[in-house]
Amino acid sequence: MIIAELFSPSRVGAMAERQGIAPNIAFDIKDGWDLMDHEQRTQAQKIIRERRPRLVIGSPPCTKLSAWQHMRAARCTTQAAQEKYDAEYAEAILQVHLCCTEYEKQIRRGEWFLHEHPYTASSWRLEKVQQLLRRNDVYFVKGSMCEYGMTAHDDAGEAK
């Protein structure tokens, strides 16, 4: 069983590998994979197609799709600021769409996927995500990652 992680350094896969459960492959900017680059994305898709992971975990950055960011959009007071926000928002949507495309491939292969995004993120309302959620073989589960030890870090330290 292979686990592939998109837009995430190896976390789940690394833990599974340490436990002897499954080898992993991770495609994240921190590991040198820029999935927004067409050539690198094509190479990653080829690796996934060839390695046929049992589970694909998508963790596209949620920052631009969070409720806080939507409030920021209303505060764009210059055209340049609005254009920057719009470009970042479009990129965030594309990242979610890229994950959904891989999830659809997983379903066709009879394999699994997990989409990781905060419950309040606007990504859940995207049509591509809604299409997946309308399927009888796709389940939506709301869970607190804090229960599993996931924490956030910033300049002030760790927040739980």
Side-chain angles (χ1 to χ4, degrees), residues 9-10 26 36 38 45 96 99 128 132 139 151 159:
S10 184
M36 299 311 296
H38 178 75
Q45 290 167 330
V96 172
C99 288
K128 196 122 165 112
L132 285 167
Y139 302 92
T151 59

Side-chain angles (χ1 to χ4, degrees), residues 62 65 96 115 117-118 120-127 129-130:
C62 60
L65 299 168
V96 172
H115 180 69
H117 249 202
T120 58
S122 63
S123 55
W124 296 108
R125 294 187 299 273
L126 296 174
E127 181 55 29
V129 175
Q130 286 294 304

